Amino acid sequence: DTEVTQTPKHLVMGMTNKKSLKCEQHMGHRAMYWYKQKAKKPPELMFVYSYEKLSINESVPSRFSPECPNSSLLNLHLHALQPEDSALYLCASSQVWETQRNEQFFGPGTRLTVL
Amino acid sequence: SQQGEEDPQALSIQEGENATMNCSYKTSINNLQWYRQNSGRGLVHLILIRSNEREKHSGRLRVTLDTSKKSSSLLITASRAADTASYFCALPPHNTDKLIFGTGTRLQVFP
């Protein structure tokens, strides 16, 4: 299984809602990532988990809260988002978090719209 | 910024033609990667080329790396309509493990 799955595919939420994005992989990868991508822009790194521990937080606002319950799952909890947070949220994984073997496998993304 | 700058921003060609896109960067790197993204979907890894390699092939793809010029190119030969996508170079800056994506090239291949 060489797939990264993400749910939901689409999400519309109000600014007062609490929602979660989910990501799963069964490739035995020990590094997982969250990226944010605005239209016609490259993906921007948000968080990196290595061996289920948060290794990088790219100064992401606290209204985004990542969680890695186990080596296969990655969640992104959303609360009190702003309309400018509307974007495609991509999850990725890689074998380990090392530059020489850092090929990343991406999920299809969750299209988030904040009203 | 370590972000790669890609050129051209957009490219339109006919099926069967070759497509070349370039990526320039500013600091030293351990490797450089190329990814493809179909409209509004996840990215697919194409090729990783290490800093001690000059050229790499994968099917119809050919990637070159010139570390002295701090640039890389991706050549797609005999393009197909299915190659229509955005192509990004991605760089882990030296001494970090982050992956920074370039600005991207939008390729349109007409049947």
Side-chain angles (χ1 to χ4, degrees):
Chain A
D1 185 357
T2 59
E3 192 179 13
V4 177
T5 59
Q6 289 188 244
T7 56
K9 290 184 179 179
H10 300 275
L11 178 62
V12 180
M13 59 186 291
M15 290 189 284
T16 58
N17 292 159
K18 285 185 180 181
K19 296 287 184 182
S20 296
L21 309 184
K22 296 185 185 300
C23 173
E24 190 167 4
Q25 56 87 16
H26 294 287
M27 294 178 278
H29 289 174
R30 304 312 299 270
M32 296 186 77
Y33 313 80
W34 280 115
Y35 290 86
K36 173 182 177 180
Q37 187 179 27
K38 303 284 272 185
K40 297 186 178 181
K41 296 290 186 182
E44 294 179 351
L45 183 65
M46 299 175 71
F47 302 104
V48 178
Y49 272 84
S50 178
Y51 293 90
E52 295 99 72
K53 287 185 168 39
L54 183 64
S55 296
I56 284 186
N57 176 341
E58 290 287 271
S59 302
V60 178
S62 59
R63 57 185 183 268
F64 295 90
S65 175
E67 178 197 19
C68 191
N70 59 56
S71 61
S72 299
L73 293 174
L74 187 65
N75 298 322
L76 186 62
H77 303 297
L78 315 172
H79 173 55
L81 295 192
Q82 303 297 311
E84 59 264 30
D85 296 322
S86 298
L88 181 68
Y89 287 85
L90 295 162
C91 173
S93 69
S94 63
Q95 281 187 327
V96 290
W97 191 41
E98 291 178 4
T99 58
Q100 295 303 315
R101 293 185 287 166
N102 206 18
E103 172 189 350
Q104 295 186 15
F105 292 78
F106 281 80
T110 293
R111 176 74 59 188
L112 174 67
T113 302
V114 182
L115 302 177
Chain B
S1 168
Q2 178 56 41
Q3 183 183 49
E5 295 287 333
E6 293 191 55
D7 171 60
Q9 289 187 347
L11 181 60
S12 294
I13 59 175
Q14 295 291 131
E15 264 191 332
E17 294 180 339
N18 296 342
T20 299
M21 49 207 87
N22 304 293
C23 173
S24 60
Y25 56 93
K26 293 181 179 177
T27 63
S28 61
I29 57 171
N30 291 318
N31 66 66
L32 185 145
Q33 304 177 38
W34 286 90
Y35 287 80
R36 183 187 76 226
Q37 184 177 33
N38 290 85
S39 180
R41 297 196 54 80
L43 285 82
V44 174
H45 181 266
L46 298 175
I47 284 185
L48 181 152
I49 186 166
R50 294 188 169 80
S51 58
N52 61 352
E53 297 176 311
R54 292 295 168 259
E55 188 170 313
K56 208 161 181 180
H57 296 255
S58 176
R60 293 183 296 112
L61 306 180
R62 172 177 169 252
V63 167
T64 62
L65 179 64
D66 187 334
T67 52
S68 65
K69 294 182 179 178
K70 292 187 169 57
S71 69
S72 175
S73 67
L74 170 67
L75 169 66
I76 304 173
T77 60
S79 63
R80 306 166 182 167
D83 295 327
T84 294
S86 291
Y87 292 82
F88 295 94
C89 62
L91 313 140
H94 197 63
N95 293 330
T96 80
D97 294 304
K98 298 191 289 188
L99 205 58
I100 309 298
F101 285 86
T103 50
T105 293
R106 293 189 302 280
L107 174 65
Q108 176 83 50
V109 181
F110 292 98

